[in-house]
Coordinates of all heavy atoms in Angstrom, one line a residue:
C6 N -5.1 -12.9 -43.3 CA -5.1 -13.0 -41.8 C -6.2 -12.0 -41.2 O -6.3 -10.9 -41.7 CB -3.7 -12.5 -41.3 SG -3.6 -12.5 -39.5
C9 N -3.8 -9.0 -39.1 CA -3.0 -8.0 -39.7 C -3.3 -7.8 -41.1 O -2.9 -6.9 -41.8 CB -1.6 -8.5 -39.5 SG -1.1 -9.9 -40.5
C26 N -2.1 -15.5 -39.0 CA -0.9 -15.8 -39.8 C 0.3 -16.2 -39.0 O 1.2 -16.9 -39.5 CB -0.6 -14.7 -40.8 SG 0.2 -13.2 -40.0
S27 N 0.4 -15.7 -37.8 CA 1.7 -15.8 -37.1 C 1.4 -16.0 -35.6 O 0.2 -15.9 -35.2 CB 2.6 -14.6 -37.3 OG 1.9 -13.5 -36.8
C30 N -0.1 -12.8 -34.2 CA -1.5 -12.6 -34.5 C -2.3 -13.7 -33.7 O -3.4 -13.4 -33.3 CB -1.7 -12.8 -36.0 SG -1.1 -11.3 -36.9
Ligands
ZN201 ZN1 -1.5 -11.8 -39.1

Side-chain angles (χ1 to χ4, degrees):
C6 177
C9 68
C26 71
S27 61
C30 288

